[in-house]
Structure formats: structure tokens, C-alpha cells
Amino acid sequence: MAVRVSDPHAPGCQNRFVGICIQRGGQGLRAWFVLRNVIDDQGVEIMYEMYNPTIQAIEVLKLEKRLDDSLVYLRDALDEYSTFDFDMQPTSHAVDTAVPVNPLKVKLRPRPWRERYERQNLQGVEDLGLPERFYARAAKLATPWEKYDIMKQYRNSIVEEDQEEIYQDVHKKQVDIEKKRVQKRRQQKLESRR
């Protein structure tokens, strides 16, 4: 994407930034997006508010989907995946065709990373090369509430015969309650007619 913003300190009173959209958020008038580009071996990210009055133009240079919705892992990826030429020309896209999916898998730099990517279900990242214990811990932390779920533990531990007996007892009580409700409604209708 390319965003042109009015800037009184820039030559020509305009500033143009080209980058890949790594994140979107907000909604309505508070919608925003983040563009990233690597300039002189330095990662640069700019967050733009969608309805900022200083924005003169937002131009889509290359329309494509990625395997993940959020591309914040590009911060920890090699620079080649976030480097774009400022003179990049827009590529045309046919109106009636679907948006193409870029199947590119990004290679991350060695750890440490800004986030625990093994705990996220990322499709656009190559194998992280971590020991199996990291993935086991991530799977355990994916559902932390399960160790407090008493009903799940109870369902896993009860035998089938006991379960059938409980279900029959519960069903019998439900039928009795429903009969009482029907009788009460009939009485109310009779009393209202009098």
C-alpha cells in the first residue's frame, strides 16, 4: 500500500510512505492500519487512522491475501520480507476475479522474539525450529480453563451404568415438572374464565 499524507515540513507539502499492511484494527471512525517497510536496514512502521483528515490518498499497489490475518511476525522476520521500493508501481487486478492468496512462508530470525509465536496458529511462518516441549506447553496453555472444568472431569470419570440411572431420574423429574406446569396453566385459564 502507499499512503500520501499532507506534511508542511516535507518538500512539496506531501509525504508518501509505501509498505505492507501488517495489522488492522478499530472500527467506524476509529479504524486504523499499520504499514511496515525496511528503510536503510531499519524497520519503519507507521500507524494511520483511516479517517485522518491529513491523508490525501490511500493506494493499493498490490492486492493479495496472506495466510494469516495479522502479519506482526514480520517484525521478527528477515528484512527481505518487509522491504518494498518507494517507486513501486501498482499492479492491475481484474474486477471479477477473486483476490489471490500469497502462499509465502516467512522465515523468522533466531530467538528471542517479541511474541511467543509457537502459541499462535500461524500459517505463514516456516517451522520455528523449537524443541517439542515448547509446543506441548503451548497446547496446554491453549485451554487453561479445562483444569477448572469440574463437569468435564465428572463426565470423563462417571461409568455408563451410573450415567443412565442419573439420566432416567432427571427425565422423570422433568416430566413431573412439565405436568405440574400444564395443570397450573389449566387452573389459571379456568379461573380467568369465571
Side-chain angles (χ1 to χ4, degrees), residues 42-70:
Q42 182 68 43
V44 178
E45 294 180 7
I46 300 179
M47 184 177 100
Y48 293 102
E49 294 177 355
M50 187 77 73
Y51 296 100
N52 188 341
T54 61
I55 293 180
Q56 294 179 346
I58 298 175
E59 186 179 6
V60 177
L61 300 177
K62 186 176 182 183
L63 183 64
E64 66 181 11
K65 289 182 184 176
R66 289 293 183 107
L67 298 174
D68 300 305
D69 291 334
S70 178

PDB file of all heavy atoms in Angstrom, residues 42-70:
ATOM      1  N   GLN A  42      16.595  -0.518   8.542  1.00  0.00           N
ATOM      2  CA  GLN A  42      15.862  -0.184   9.763  1.00  0.00           C
ATOM      3  C   GLN A  42      14.371  -0.366   9.494  1.00  0.00           C
ATOM      4  O   GLN A  42      13.828   0.216   8.564  1.00  0.00           O
ATOM      5  CB  GLN A  42      16.153   1.264  10.185  1.00  0.00           C
ATOM      6  CG  GLN A  42      15.482   1.698  11.446  1.00  0.00           C
ATOM      7  CD  GLN A  42      16.039   0.980  12.664  1.00  0.00           C
ATOM      8  OE1 GLN A  42      17.237   0.812  12.792  1.00  0.00           O
ATOM      9  NE2 GLN A  42      15.166   0.540  13.532  1.00  0.00           N
ATOM     10  N   GLY A  43      13.697  -1.187  10.325  1.00  0.00           N
ATOM     11  CA  GLY A  43      12.259  -1.392  10.164  1.00  0.00           C
ATOM     12  C   GLY A  43      11.496  -0.152  10.584  1.00  0.00           C
ATOM     13  O   GLY A  43      11.696   0.384  11.672  1.00  0.00           O
ATOM     14  N   VAL A  44      10.619   0.322   9.714  1.00  0.00           N
ATOM     15  CA  VAL A  44       9.815   1.516   9.994  1.00  0.00           C
ATOM     16  C   VAL A  44       8.344   1.123   9.895  1.00  0.00           C
ATOM     17  O   VAL A  44       7.921   0.540   8.910  1.00  0.00           O
ATOM     18  CB  VAL A  44      10.123   2.651   8.995  1.00  0.00           C
ATOM     19  CG1 VAL A  44       9.247   3.858   9.262  1.00  0.00           C
ATOM     20  CG2 VAL A  44      11.593   3.024   9.047  1.00  0.00           C
ATOM     21  N   GLU A  45       7.598   1.450  10.943  1.00  0.00           N
ATOM     22  CA  GLU A  45       6.159   1.198  10.949  1.00  0.00           C
ATOM     23  C   GLU A  45       5.435   2.499  11.228  1.00  0.00           C
ATOM     24  O   GLU A  45       5.832   3.250  12.110  1.00  0.00           O
ATOM     25  CB  GLU A  45       5.784   0.169  12.018  1.00  0.00           C
ATOM     26  CG  GLU A  45       6.331  -1.205  11.744  1.00  0.00           C
ATOM     27  CD  GLU A  45       5.941  -2.198  12.816  1.00  0.00           C
ATOM     28  OE1 GLU A  45       5.133  -1.844  13.701  1.00  0.00           O
ATOM     29  OE2 GLU A  45       6.445  -3.322  12.768  1.00  0.00           O
ATOM     30  N   ILE A  46       4.369   2.732  10.481  1.00  0.00           N
ATOM     31  CA  ILE A  46       3.557   3.929  10.682  1.00  0.00           C
ATOM     32  C   ILE A  46       2.110   3.488  10.817  1.00  0.00           C
ATOM     33  O   ILE A  46       1.602   2.729   9.993  1.00  0.00           O
ATOM     34  CB  ILE A  46       3.708   4.925   9.518  1.00  0.00           C
ATOM     35  CG1 ILE A  46       5.167   5.364   9.392  1.00  0.00           C
ATOM     36  CG2 ILE A  46       2.809   6.122   9.726  1.00  0.00           C
ATOM     37  CD1 ILE A  46       5.431   6.321   8.259  1.00  0.00           C
ATOM     38  N   MET A  47       1.463   3.971  11.874  1.00  0.00           N
ATOM     39  CA  MET A  47       0.060   3.686  12.081  1.00  0.00           C
ATOM     40  C   MET A  47      -0.756   4.864  11.559  1.00  0.00           C
ATOM     41  O   MET A  47      -0.522   6.006  11.960  1.00  0.00           O
ATOM     42  CB  MET A  47      -0.246   3.463  13.561  1.00  0.00           C
ATOM     43  CG  MET A  47      -1.686   3.073  13.800  1.00  0.00           C
ATOM     44  SD  MET A  47      -2.036   2.735  15.508  1.00  0.00           S
ATOM     45  CE  MET A  47      -2.776   4.273  15.962  1.00  0.00           C
ATOM     46  N   TYR A  48      -1.671   4.574  10.675  1.00  0.00           N
ATOM     47  CA  TYR A  48      -2.542   5.604  10.102  1.00  0.00           C
ATOM     48  C   TYR A  48      -3.969   5.376  10.589  1.00  0.00           C
ATOM     49  O   TYR A  48      -4.440   4.237  10.630  1.00  0.00           O
ATOM     50  CB  TYR A  48      -2.540   5.538   8.574  1.00  0.00           C
ATOM     51  CG  TYR A  48      -1.226   5.907   7.949  1.00  0.00           C
ATOM     52  CD1 TYR A  48      -0.370   4.932   7.470  1.00  0.00           C
ATOM     53  CD2 TYR A  48      -0.853   7.234   7.819  1.00  0.00           C
ATOM     54  CE1 TYR A  48       0.831   5.270   6.879  1.00  0.00           C
ATOM     55  CE2 TYR A  48       0.349   7.584   7.225  1.00  0.00           C
ATOM     56  CZ  TYR A  48       1.185   6.592   6.768  1.00  0.00           C
ATOM     57  OH  TYR A  48       2.372   6.928   6.186  1.00  0.00           O
ATOM     58  N   GLU A  49      -4.626   6.458  10.938  1.00  0.00           N
ATOM     59  CA  GLU A  49      -6.058   6.383  11.198  1.00  0.00           C
ATOM     60  C   GLU A  49      -6.761   6.530   9.853  1.00  0.00           C
ATOM     61  O   GLU A  49      -6.431   7.411   9.063  1.00  0.00           O
ATOM     62  CB  GLU A  49      -6.480   7.481  12.163  1.00  0.00           C
ATOM     63  CG  GLU A  49      -5.886   7.308  13.546  1.00  0.00           C
ATOM     64  CD  GLU A  49      -6.244   8.444  14.483  1.00  0.00           C
ATOM     65  OE1 GLU A  49      -6.883   9.417  14.032  1.00  0.00           O
ATOM     66  OE2 GLU A  49      -5.881   8.348  15.654  1.00  0.00           O
ATOM     67  N   MET A  50      -7.730   5.683   9.616  1.00  0.00           N
ATOM     68  CA  MET A  50      -8.370   5.613   8.301  1.00  0.00           C
ATOM     69  C   MET A  50      -9.006   6.944   7.893  1.00  0.00           C
ATOM     70  O   MET A  50      -8.924   7.351   6.741  1.00  0.00           O
ATOM     71  CB  MET A  50      -9.434   4.516   8.318  1.00  0.00           C
ATOM     72  CG  MET A  50     -10.043   4.247   6.976  1.00  0.00           C
ATOM     73  SD  MET A  50      -8.982   3.291   5.906  1.00  0.00           S
ATOM     74  CE  MET A  50      -9.104   1.700   6.643  1.00  0.00           C
ATOM     75  N   TYR A  51      -9.607   7.644   8.841  1.00  0.00           N
ATOM     76  CA  TYR A  51     -10.333   8.870   8.508  1.00  0.00           C
ATOM     77  C   TYR A  51      -9.590  10.111   8.983  1.00  0.00           C
ATOM     78  O   TYR A  51     -10.196  11.131   9.274  1.00  0.00           O
ATOM     79  CB  TYR A  51     -11.747   8.815   9.105  1.00  0.00           C
ATOM     80  CG  TYR A  51     -12.550   7.700   8.498  1.00  0.00           C
ATOM     81  CD1 TYR A  51     -12.712   6.504   9.171  1.00  0.00           C
ATOM     82  CD2 TYR A  51     -13.101   7.830   7.232  1.00  0.00           C
ATOM     83  CE1 TYR A  51     -13.437   5.469   8.606  1.00  0.00           C
ATOM     84  CE2 TYR A  51     -13.819   6.800   6.659  1.00  0.00           C
ATOM     85  CZ  TYR A  51     -13.983   5.622   7.350  1.00  0.00           C
ATOM     86  OH  TYR A  51     -14.682   4.596   6.791  1.00  0.00           O
ATOM     87  N   ASN A  52      -8.266  10.031   9.030  1.00  0.00           N
ATOM     88  CA  ASN A  52      -7.453  11.177   9.390  1.00  0.00           C
ATOM     89  C   ASN A  52      -7.545  12.215   8.259  1.00  0.00           C
ATOM     90  O   ASN A  52      -7.328  11.889   7.094  1.00  0.00           O
ATOM     91  CB  ASN A  52      -6.002  10.723   9.582  1.00  0.00           C
ATOM     92  CG  ASN A  52      -5.122  11.799  10.128  1.00  0.00           C
ATOM     93  OD1 ASN A  52      -5.434  12.976  10.058  1.00  0.00           O
ATOM     94  ND2 ASN A  52      -3.997  11.389  10.678  1.00  0.00           N
ATOM     95  N   PRO A  53      -7.864  13.475   8.582  1.00  0.00           N
ATOM     96  CA  PRO A  53      -8.022  14.469   7.502  1.00  0.00           C
ATOM     97  C   PRO A  53      -6.724  14.819   6.787  1.00  0.00           C
ATOM     98  O   PRO A  53      -6.766  15.388   5.699  1.00  0.00           O
ATOM     99  CB  PRO A  53      -8.598  15.690   8.222  1.00  0.00           C
ATOM    100  CG  PRO A  53      -8.327  15.478   9.655  1.00  0.00           C
ATOM    101  CD  PRO A  53      -8.206  14.019   9.888  1.00  0.00           C
ATOM    102  N   THR A  54      -5.555  14.464   7.355  1.00  0.00           N
ATOM    103  CA  THR A  54      -4.298  14.766   6.667  1.00  0.00           C
ATOM    104  C   THR A  54      -3.978  13.750   5.566  1.00  0.00           C
ATOM    105  O   THR A  54      -3.102  13.988   4.751  1.00  0.00           O
ATOM    106  CB  THR A  54      -3.126  14.818   7.664  1.00  0.00           C
ATOM    107  OG1 THR A  54      -2.992  13.539   8.296  1.00  0.00           O
ATOM    108  CG2 THR A  54      -3.344  15.894   8.705  1.00  0.00           C
ATOM    109  N   ILE A  55      -4.680  12.626   5.541  1.00  0.00           N
ATOM    110  CA  ILE A  55      -4.459  11.627   4.488  1.00  0.00           C
ATOM    111  C   ILE A  55      -5.087  12.127   3.194  1.00  0.00           C
ATOM    112  O   ILE A  55      -6.275  12.414   3.135  1.00  0.00           O
ATOM    113  CB  ILE A  55      -5.043  10.257   4.879  1.00  0.00           C
ATOM    114  CG1 ILE A  55      -4.278   9.678   6.058  1.00  0.00           C
ATOM    115  CG2 ILE A  55      -4.995   9.298   3.697  1.00  0.00           C
ATOM    116  CD1 ILE A  55      -4.791   8.329   6.520  1.00  0.00           C
ATOM    117  N   GLN A  56      -4.257  12.230   2.164  1.00  0.00           N
ATOM    118  CA  GLN A  56      -4.739  12.684   0.859  1.00  0.00           C
ATOM    119  C   GLN A  56      -5.138  11.521  -0.036  1.00  0.00           C
ATOM    120  O   GLN A  56      -6.089  11.634  -0.807  1.00  0.00           O
ATOM    121  CB  GLN A  56      -3.667  13.525   0.169  1.00  0.00           C
ATOM    122  CG  GLN A  56      -3.382  14.814   0.898  1.00  0.00           C
ATOM    123  CD  GLN A  56      -2.292  15.619   0.207  1.00  0.00           C
ATOM    124  OE1 GLN A  56      -1.585  15.113  -0.646  1.00  0.00           O
ATOM    125  NE2 GLN A  56      -2.164  16.871   0.597  1.00  0.00           N
ATOM    126  N   ALA A  57      -4.400  10.407   0.054  1.00  0.00           N
ATOM    127  CA  ALA A  57      -4.706   9.267  -0.812  1.00  0.00           C
ATOM    128  C   ALA A  57      -4.185   7.985  -0.177  1.00  0.00           C
ATOM    129  O   ALA A  57      -3.120   7.967   0.447  1.00  0.00           O
ATOM    130  CB  ALA A  57      -4.084   9.438  -2.187  1.00  0.00           C
ATOM    131  N   ILE A  58      -4.964   6.915  -0.336  1.00  0.00           N
ATOM    132  CA  ILE A  58      -4.539   5.567   0.039  1.00  0.00           C
ATOM    133  C   ILE A  58      -4.608   4.741  -1.237  1.00  0.00           C
ATOM    134  O   ILE A  58      -5.663   4.620  -1.856  1.00  0.00           O
ATOM    135  CB  ILE A  58      -5.446   4.965   1.127  1.00  0.00           C
ATOM    136  CG1 ILE A  58      -5.389   5.798   2.396  1.00  0.00           C
ATOM    137  CG2 ILE A  58      -5.051   3.523   1.420  1.00  0.00           C
ATOM    138  CD1 ILE A  58      -6.348   5.351   3.470  1.00  0.00           C
ATOM    139  N   GLU A  59      -3.466   4.185  -1.627  1.00  0.00           N
ATOM    140  CA  GLU A  59      -3.373   3.485  -2.902  1.00  0.00           C
ATOM    141  C   GLU A  59      -2.948   2.033  -2.655  1.00  0.00           C
ATOM    142  O   GLU A  59      -1.967   1.782  -1.950  1.00  0.00           O
ATOM    143  CB  GLU A  59      -2.344   4.188  -3.780  1.00  0.00           C
ATOM    144  CG  GLU A  59      -2.248   3.667  -5.172  1.00  0.00           C
ATOM    145  CD  GLU A  59      -1.224   4.435  -5.985  1.00  0.00           C
ATOM    146  OE1 GLU A  59      -0.516   5.291  -5.434  1.00  0.00           O
ATOM    147  OE2 GLU A  59      -1.135   4.162  -7.184  1.00  0.00           O
ATOM    148  N   VAL A  60      -3.695   1.102  -3.189  1.00  0.00           N
ATOM    149  CA  VAL A  60      -3.337  -0.316  -3.099  1.00  0.00           C
ATOM    150  C   VAL A  60      -2.443  -0.628  -4.292  1.00  0.00           C
ATOM    151  O   VAL A  60      -2.892  -0.595  -5.437  1.00  0.00           O
ATOM    152  CB  VAL A  60      -4.593  -1.206  -3.099  1.00  0.00           C
ATOM    153  CG1 VAL A  60      -4.193  -2.676  -3.081  1.00  0.00           C
ATOM    154  CG2 VAL A  60      -5.478  -0.873  -1.922  1.00  0.00           C
ATOM    155  N   LEU A  61      -1.189  -0.939  -4.013  1.00  0.00           N
ATOM    156  CA  LEU A  61      -0.232  -1.204  -5.086  1.00  0.00           C
ATOM    157  C   LEU A  61      -0.294  -2.652  -5.561  1.00  0.00           C
ATOM    158  O   LEU A  61      -0.134  -2.933  -6.743  1.00  0.00           O
ATOM    159  CB  LEU A  61       1.183  -0.868  -4.617  1.00  0.00           C
ATOM    160  CG  LEU A  61       1.400   0.586  -4.197  1.00  0.00           C
ATOM    161  CD1 LEU A  61       2.815   0.787  -3.689  1.00  0.00           C
ATOM    162  CD2 LEU A  61       1.096   1.527  -5.346  1.00  0.00           C
ATOM    163  N   LYS A  62      -0.512  -3.583  -4.611  1.00  0.00           N
ATOM    164  CA  LYS A  62      -0.610  -4.988  -4.968  1.00  0.00           C
ATOM    165  C   LYS A  62      -1.664  -5.620  -4.063  1.00  0.00           C
ATOM    166  O   LYS A  62      -1.509  -5.652  -2.858  1.00  0.00           O
ATOM    167  CB  LYS A  62       0.739  -5.685  -4.779  1.00  0.00           C
ATOM    168  CG  LYS A  62       0.752  -7.108  -5.254  1.00  0.00           C
ATOM    169  CD  LYS A  62       2.133  -7.705  -5.141  1.00  0.00           C
ATOM    170  CE  LYS A  62       2.150  -9.128  -5.674  1.00  0.00           C
ATOM    171  NZ  LYS A  62       3.462  -9.737  -5.493  1.00  0.00           N
ATOM    172  N   LEU A  63      -2.721  -6.112  -4.674  1.00  0.00           N
ATOM    173  CA  LEU A  63      -3.825  -6.690  -3.921  1.00  0.00           C
ATOM    174  C   LEU A  63      -3.618  -8.189  -3.799  1.00  0.00           C
ATOM    175  O   LEU A  63      -3.585  -8.902  -4.795  1.00  0.00           O
ATOM    176  CB  LEU A  63      -5.159  -6.393  -4.614  1.00  0.00           C
ATOM    177  CG  LEU A  63      -6.406  -6.873  -3.899  1.00  0.00           C
ATOM    178  CD1 LEU A  63      -6.562  -6.165  -2.559  1.00  0.00           C
ATOM    179  CD2 LEU A  63      -7.627  -6.645  -4.763  1.00  0.00           C
ATOM    180  N   GLU A  64      -3.454  -8.661  -2.542  1.00  0.00           N
ATOM    181  CA  GLU A  64      -3.299 -10.087  -2.289  1.00  0.00           C
ATOM    182  C   GLU A  64      -3.633 -10.377  -0.829  1.00  0.00           C
ATOM    183  O   GLU A  64      -3.550  -9.497   0.024  1.00  0.00           O
ATOM    184  CB  GLU A  64      -1.885 -10.565  -2.599  1.00  0.00           C
ATOM    185  CG  GLU A  64      -0.822  -9.978  -1.688  1.00  0.00           C
ATOM    186  CD  GLU A  64       0.579 -10.435  -2.023  1.00  0.00           C
ATOM    187  OE1 GLU A  64       0.772 -11.046  -3.087  1.00  0.00           O
ATOM    188  OE2 GLU A  64       1.473 -10.185  -1.211  1.00  0.00           O
ATOM    189  N   LYS A  65      -4.039 -11.610  -0.581  1.00  0.00           N
ATOM    190  CA  LYS A  65      -4.275 -12.069   0.780  1.00  0.00           C
ATOM    191  C   LYS A  65      -3.044 -12.815   1.249  1.00  0.00           C
ATOM    192  O   LYS A  65      -2.296 -13.356   0.449  1.00  0.00           O
ATOM    193  CB  LYS A  65      -5.477 -13.020   0.841  1.00  0.00           C
ATOM    194  CG  LYS A  65      -6.804 -12.368   0.643  1.00  0.00           C
ATOM    195  CD  LYS A  65      -7.904 -13.415   0.787  1.00  0.00           C
ATOM    196  CE  LYS A  65      -9.260 -12.843   0.505  1.00  0.00           C
ATOM    197  NZ  LYS A  65     -10.314 -13.864   0.555  1.00  0.00           N
ATOM    198  N   ARG A  66      -2.862 -12.842   2.550  1.00  0.00           N
ATOM    199  CA  ARG A  66      -1.813 -13.662   3.143  1.00  0.00           C
ATOM    200  C   ARG A  66      -2.454 -14.798   3.909  1.00  0.00           C
ATOM    201  O   ARG A  66      -3.665 -14.805   4.145  1.00  0.00           O
ATOM    202  CB  ARG A  66      -0.936 -12.825   4.077  1.00  0.00           C
ATOM    203  CG  ARG A  66      -0.028 -11.828   3.371  1.00  0.00           C
ATOM    204  CD  ARG A  66       1.033 -12.554   2.558  1.00  0.00           C
ATOM    205  NE  ARG A  66       1.955 -11.640   1.932  1.00  0.00           N
ATOM    206  CZ  ARG A  66       3.209 -11.471   2.338  1.00  0.00           C
ATOM    207  NH1 ARG A  66       3.673 -12.138   3.352  1.00  0.00           N
ATOM    208  NH2 ARG A  66       3.992 -10.631   1.710  1.00  0.00           N
ATOM    209  N   LEU A  67      -1.665 -15.750   4.355  1.00  0.00           N
ATOM    210  CA  LEU A  67      -2.190 -16.911   5.063  1.00  0.00           C
ATOM    211  C   LEU A  67      -2.691 -16.561   6.456  1.00  0.00           C
ATOM    212  O   LEU A  67      -3.494 -17.287   7.029  1.00  0.00           O
ATOM    213  CB  LEU A  67      -1.113 -17.997   5.139  1.00  0.00           C
ATOM    214  CG  LEU A  67      -0.649 -18.530   3.777  1.00  0.00           C
ATOM    215  CD1 LEU A  67       0.512 -19.487   3.945  1.00  0.00           C
ATOM    216  CD2 LEU A  67      -1.792 -19.207   3.055  1.00  0.00           C
ATOM    217  N   ASP A  68      -2.220 -15.443   7.032  1.00  0.00           N
ATOM    218  CA  ASP A  68      -2.638 -15.008   8.364  1.00  0.00           C
ATOM    219  C   ASP A  68      -3.265 -13.627   8.269  1.00  0.00           C
ATOM    220  O   ASP A  68      -2.919 -12.828   7.400  1.00  0.00           O
ATOM    221  CB  ASP A  68      -1.437 -14.958   9.320  1.00  0.00           C
ATOM    222  CG  ASP A  68      -0.769 -16.314   9.465  1.00  0.00           C
ATOM    223  OD1 ASP A  68      -1.479 -17.276   9.806  1.00  0.00           O
ATOM    224  OD2 ASP A  68       0.451 -16.405   9.236  1.00  0.00           O
ATOM    225  N   ASP A  69      -4.179 -13.335   9.193  1.00  0.00           N
ATOM    226  CA  ASP A  69      -4.822 -12.019   9.211  1.00  0.00           C
ATOM    227  C   ASP A  69      -3.868 -10.938   9.702  1.00  0.00           C
ATOM    228  O   ASP A  69      -3.830  -9.846   9.169  1.00  0.00           O
ATOM    229  CB  ASP A  69      -6.063 -12.049  10.104  1.00  0.00           C
ATOM    230  CG  ASP A  69      -7.167 -12.892   9.495  1.00  0.00           C
ATOM    231  OD1 ASP A  69      -7.187 -13.028   8.261  1.00  0.00           O
ATOM    232  OD2 ASP A  69      -7.992 -13.411  10.257  1.00  0.00           O
ATOM    233  N   SER A  70      -3.122 -11.238  10.747  1.00  0.00           N
ATOM    234  CA  SER A  70      -2.183 -10.271  11.309  1.00  0.00           C
ATOM    235  C   SER A  70      -0.763 -10.682  10.938  1.00  0.00           C
ATOM    236  O   SER A  70      -0.369 -11.834  11.123  1.00  0.00           O
ATOM    237  CB  SER A  70      -2.332 -10.228  12.832  1.00  0.00           C
ATOM    238  OG  SER A  70      -1.408  -9.334  13.384  1.00  0.00           O
TER     239      SER A  70
END
